[in-house]
Amino acid sequence: MNGTPRLRSAYPSTPQARPKRDGQYGTASGVSLPKVPLPRESTAQPDAPAPLIPFNLVDAPSQRFYVAFFYLALLIWRLCDYYVLVSDETDSFQLFMKWVVIDGVVLYGLPGLRIPWLQWSSTTMTVLFALHAIADYILMFRVSIPLEAWLIAFTRLFYDRELAVSERRVKVANVLNNASLILGKQIIHILPEGYGSETFRFFRDAHNHRSAMLNPNQTAFCLDALTASVDLPIWINQTNPILIELLRIDVDTNTNETLVIQAKEIQRLKKQADKQLSNRTPTSPRHLKYPVRRTGLYRLQRVLDESKLEVQRRLSDTLVVHCPSAHVRAVPKIKCIGDLSDFYIQVDATPPIHIKYSKTVNNEENGHAVLSIPPKNPVSPLAHQRTSGALVSKASPNEADVSWARSQSTRISVNESLGINGHWQYLIDEIQDGCGNVVDYGKRRLGNTHRRHASTELPLEQTFSVYERPRAALQGCDSQHALQVPKGKSIHLPLRISSTGSEKVAQGSHRISYLFTPNARVLSNQEHAGDTELASFIFESHGSNYEVHEPGLYTLQSVESSFCAGEILEPSSCLLSNPPEPNVSIETQSIPDRCAGNSIGLLVDLDLTGTPPFRLSYNIRRRGGPVTPKVAESELLHTQLELRPTHSGHYTYEFLGISDSVYQEPRSLRNQNLVLEQDVKPPASARFLDAYPSRKTCIGEPVSLGVQLSGEPPWRLDYELIHHGRRQKHKTSGIESNIHTLATDALKTGGEYSLALSAVTDNSGCKVSLEQETKIEVALQRPKASFGLVEGQRSILALKDRVVKLPLRLQGEPPWTVQYRNIDEPDGGITSAVFKNSNDAIDVVDAGTYELIHVNDGTCPGNVDTGANRFTVKWVPRPGVQVSESAVIEVVRGKHVKKEICEGDEDALEISFTGTPPFDVEYSHDVKPERGSQSSTTKKFTAGINVASLRMESSEAGTHQYQISRISDLSYNHNPRQFSPISIEQRVHARPSAAFVEGGKTYKYCKEEDAGGENVPIALKGEPPFHLEVEVRHHASSKPELVNIPNVDSQKYNLHISHRLLSLGTHTVKIRKVRDAHGCQRQMDQETPRVQVNVAEVPSISALESQTDYCIGDRISYMLAGSPPFSVFYTFNGQERKAAAPTTSFRRLAEKPGEFTINAVADQRSADCKAHTSITKVIHEMPSVRVSKGRTATVDIHEGGEAEIMFEFGGTPPFEFTYTRSSNPHKGKKPQILDTKSDISYEFSKTILASDEGMYEVVAIKDRFCSFSTQKEHGKTGRKLLT
């Protein structure tokens, strides 16, 4: 456009910028050329920006007017806020920020309107904004304006001279601005091959820069016996290095070393890398594979190219650790059913560790298990899954502690019950360490790569051959039924072998142990003698029998197969006896005819000895007739043989032989000459009332039997009691009743008794032989009860709420009635149960110790074996959680209340588990913050051992509640009915704060303590009482005074500063720390508002600064108290001088180095006397620095390279200097400062390395005492820095 449309009243035309054309209208030297007339612009210029509001709506002058009016309105609003601030004491900071924002929006938004004359440059806008911000600060913080000081400063612009220590006036600028103190600069140019972005992004622009990096893909590396070395990839691009340095920190000793790769080695590595590149150039990106053989943390420290310039590199640490390994601690491979696996997995790796193993039973996979082992060192970066970048300090890697990367040795127990017979196999499948190194043992087993190392590898599997346990018992013989064998003969021991869980006969050989006691030494209760010895034999399952022949008591004690100890079932005892040989004694009696009284036959009484049934062979011979053989059979020990021939004659009866059930071969009776003739007489009669042929009774008890008699009383009854071949004859006379009871003596020996009625005689005197007999079975011993063994012991560990069978061992005649109780239950009663099997079991559902009380069999009361009358049932413990008592303060309504902590503190809760690891735990975390809404999260973790650490959150103040709601282990799943959630509560307190009520205010104190002083109000937040730490610093002192204020009982406190901490001058008071009643502490930052304390002088002279050392250009100031004018007497460099001070201040400019001492002072009232004193100040020479020998030097480097900059100092070390990097100077442009850095040197020279392009020059230098800067600061350049 052709400027702004003009009106008569308009401002002059807005100046238009004329475009420059190189070489057309001027040169760089400023030589003017003839002006060329420009064509008249009748239309708008195409490149002039159009206003936001078109001029046809509002012209330019009106827009400028509206802007001025708006600015005036803002100014009035600003003054109104200032009035409210003064009257109502509102918050100054909020108003200040409000107007800074408004001014910024208005000033930086004004160019967007594109109004002519108001389109200023960005520099102008920044200056205007800074001026407005300063004005806002002065108004809103009510800063007093020192007009007098400003006037003096304005005057010094034209006349700037002061009195120096030599009592002459010197120009201050000549003293302060000594350009010879800082000389020289160095300019660094980047050669064209290194051009590019100054904010280097390694992976984004990697192919455009000379760069290097160690392990860019963050590959995990490890060393072991199979991997003696690994190749660390060093990525290089756009460079041909001649030197590479690697820093290695040993993880075992924390020592470090530098590995230097020389040019020859680098060329070899490049040749290897070139083989993998199809199209390559000298600067193509390459991966150099550098082999290392030792573990440690590796860092790429330095790379130099062919021009001996350093190549830019990205910091990336790489860990080379010992490869994770795991192996099985081998245990015996032979197991029996019910045994525990009981083996260990030894793990060696850098934590955190994850190990996976599997289980196979009889070639069927039975699941996998994964265990996690956390690191013992909580500061390990691997615990947070960080394996890349800088793993140790960038600033001081030599002091780094990398012990967290060491290999940790851990032993994991695997303890499971082997409940199935067959082949069991545990295999370690995989192990992974915290660096990401994974060893897959499953793939190793499938491949053939490592077969040659099989002999040296540690075992990775544990196999078991699980066998069934044998069982042994006797059959056909027990404590009630003896085994009878003829004398001199042997018999097979009736042994039956079976297996656990199966009634089939167990295969293989078995060792049987037994006790044997000869009959002569068997106790009366059918028990073994005390000194009985243990014997054993080997029993083969196929066709093997064990022969026994010696009579006595045999009892099985133990059975063992080739692999497992077994169990003895009942019956386990057997009595082997040799019964007496059969024999017979006879008595004869004629059978008369009742009518005629003639003998009609012969009645023979047979008294038999032996084991029924009997077979008696005899011959009947009639005179003159043939011999007729006969056999008489009898089940009784006494019988009658009635011989009634059918024909008359003389009969001879000859008994030939006898046999019984044991001695089945007939025994000859010829040597006894048993030949009888018939002679009969009619007898009386008697019989037993009991119709049963036998009855049972207990050992040691008598037997009573009823007998019915017939005939003419009184009777005499003859009877016999026979046992084991011994016959006891008894007679009872004078029986008047036809019913008579026979009572035997106590039967003290077990076995079979026979009670036989042998004869009866009535009143007629005739004796009649009888054949009445009854059997009496006397138990060999009383019934007995005991608990059997389970896996060799009378205790069992079972899962809770399952029915447990307690094995019983019963002796006697079934059924048995057993009484038992649980002695661990205080009110537990006695329980009775009936059992029909001698190896039955009691079903129980409660844990405890069960005791047998009494036993009865079908006949007799019995005894309980006191050595085996108790059986203990224990439950496999359910998974449980316990909170460490040391971490809990108290338990309130079932909730664990943990010790309160402060916001941001680290805390953890140690919890222990009961059960079988690993444990799966789920817990919730609820946070009730002091402000805001409540939040809740649910978390899970797995613990591989019985102890774990639960990290307590403290990032947010409030009440933190943790509830462990679910837990399961290897044996039990989570059961909400059996597990009570555990609640943990912890209070996290917010850190306290403290601030001055009137921050920035200046308080006044007097030198004398009696004058008192103002109190400084402090507002506190938190829980009283508080503990405050306040810093009081004199403005001329670098060492502060600290004041500790304990027991502040309220949130408002008036601070009164002790006079012993104050001296003349201005003091800065700030709050450093505050601690509340909870022990929470806050360290106040540097931005916390402070207050000033001015200490007024007393009549005297004192230095305004406590410092002793000054620099040239400093002003040595004193405060005078008294009546002006004053006379000051001092000595400078040995020369005494007198100076007049018309006011209460005395100041001199330090123009020369030397010693300045105030000797005395006098005022108007004491003109004739002096107040002597001795205040000495030392004036030091200014420090100096020279860059590049004081000259301007130019250095060219490659992109990513470095150049050396030499600094030489003068003064007193140490030297602290500030240097800048500016853009390289170009003609017509002022260099811009790009970077400012500070450094320190303890020597008189220092060399630094720089890789960025620009002009480097020193702008400030200070030594031990003085400093100098080319950047003016408050009107002076020399100041004391160190004391």
Side-chain angles (χ1 to χ4, degrees), residues 1054-1181:
N1054 292 324
L1055 173 65
H1056 183 81
I1057 304 174
S1058 175
H1059 281 72
R1060 67 179 180 82
L1061 304 175
L1062 301 175
S1063 59
L1064 289 177
T1066 303
H1067 299 74
T1068 300
V1069 182
K1070 72 173 183 179
I1071 302 172
R1072 293 187 59 175
K1073 296 179 184 177
V1074 59
R1075 187 172 69 248
D1076 65 1
H1078 300 297
C1080 298
Q1081 178 174 293
R1082 182 185 294 276
Q1083 184 85 25
M1084 311 305 291
D1085 53 29
Q1086 296 296 327
E1087 303 299 329
T1088 305
R1090 311 176 184 186
V1091 297
Q1092 305 290 329
V1093 175
N1094 285 334
V1095 179
E1097 66 176 348
V1098 293
S1100 62
I1101 181 171
S1102 59
L1104 289 180
E1105 298 90 4
S1106 61
Q1107 66 191 70
T1108 303
D1109 299 295
Y1110 287 80
C1111 303
I1112 292 178
D1114 287 350
R1115 292 171 177 82
I1116 306 176
S1117 302
Y1118 299 89
M1119 180 69 69
L1120 299 169
S1123 299
F1126 298 90
S1127 296
V1128 180
F1129 302 89
Y1130 67 91
T1131 301
F1132 179 67
N1133 283 341
Q1135 185 178 358
E1136 295 183 355
R1137 289 183 172 87
K1138 176 182 179 182
T1143 63
T1144 58
S1145 63
F1146 175 71
R1147 185 174 70 176
R1148 289 294 182 266
L1149 180 67
E1151 62 167 329
K1152 298 178 181 180
E1155 189 174 283
F1156 182 80
T1157 303
I1158 301 293
N1159 300 319
V1161 63
D1163 61 0
Q1164 184 180 12
R1165 293 178 301 178
S1166 58
D1168 297 334
C1169 60
K1170 301 176 183 178
H1172 293 277
T1173 185
S1174 178
I1175 304 176
T1176 301
K1177 307 293 183 182
V1178 179
I1179 302 172
H1180 297 276
E1181 188 70 60

Side-chain angles (χ1 to χ4, degrees), residues 863-881:
N863 301 319
V864 174
D865 187 353
T866 56
N869 65 332
R870 291 190 178 185
F871 201 102
T872 302
V873 178
K874 296 181 180 178
W875 300 136
V876 174
R878 284 188 173 274
V881 182

Side-chain angles (χ1 to χ4, degrees), residues 206-342:
H207 294 283
N208 297 325
H209 294 274
R210 299 167 54 255
S211 52
M213 182 182 181
L214 178 64
N215 192 17
N217 296 326
Q218 299 301 323
T219 306
F221 296 101
C222 65
L223 298 173
D224 60 4
L226 302 179
T227 307
S229 66
V230 294
D231 294 333
L232 294 184
I234 304 175
W235 192 91
I236 60 173
N237 180 58
Q238 297 290 330
T239 184
N240 188 16
I242 62 172
L243 179 69
I244 299 176
E245 292 183 358
L246 292 176
L247 174 67
R248 173 184 171 270
I249 303 176
D250 194 282
V251 297
D252 296 321
T253 62
N254 280 329
T255 58
N256 60 80
E257 63 174 336
T258 300
L259 307 177
V260 180
I261 308 176
Q262 300 294 344
K264 184 177 180 181
E265 178 69 12
I266 294 175
Q267 290 302 319
R268 186 183 66 81
L269 297 178
K270 287 181 64 178
K271 289 180 180 179
Q272 295 178 357
D274 290 342
K275 296 179 181 178
Q276 302 177 1
L277 298 177
S278 57
N279 298 321
R280 63 179 183 271
T281 62
T283 57
S284 297
R286 292 177 173 85
H287 283 83
L288 306 183
K289 296 184 178 180
Y290 179 67
V292 296
R293 298 178 179 273
R294 291 182 293 174
T295 60
L297 184 143
Y298 290 84
R299 173 178 291 181
L300 188 60
Q301 184 166 273
R302 188 184 182 197
V303 179
L304 292 182
D305 64 2
E306 291 175 325
S307 57
K308 295 187 178 180
L309 299 176
E310 189 164 341
V311 177
Q312 190 166 358
R313 65 195 184 280
R314 181 181 179 185
L315 184 62
S316 178
D317 293 338
T318 298
L319 272 175
V320 179
V321 298
H322 293 287
C323 288
S325 65
H327 66 275
V328 172
R329 298 283 296 274
V331 297
K333 297 183 179 181
I334 302 300
K335 295 284 185 178
C336 303
I337 287 182
D339 288 349
L340 298 178
S341 57
D342 194 19

Side-chain angles (χ1 to χ4, degrees), residues 161-187:
R161 292 185 177 272
E162 291 186 22
L163 279 172
V165 291
S166 60
E167 287 302 317
R168 64 185 182 90
R169 291 189 176 273
V170 297
K171 193 172 182 179
V172 178
N174 295 337
V175 178
L176 296 179
N177 300 325
N178 187 356
S180 64
L181 296 178
I182 299 178
L183 296 175
K185 61 183 68 176
Q186 183 162 319
I187 300 174

Side-chain angles (χ1 to χ4, degrees), residues 339-342 357 359 366 414-418 424 426 970:
D339 288 349
L340 298 178
S341 57
D342 194 19
Y357 69 90
K359 179 175 64 177
N366 201 12
V414 180
N415 216 7
E416 299 182 18
S417 179
L418 307 176
W424 288 60
Y426 291 85
L970 187 63

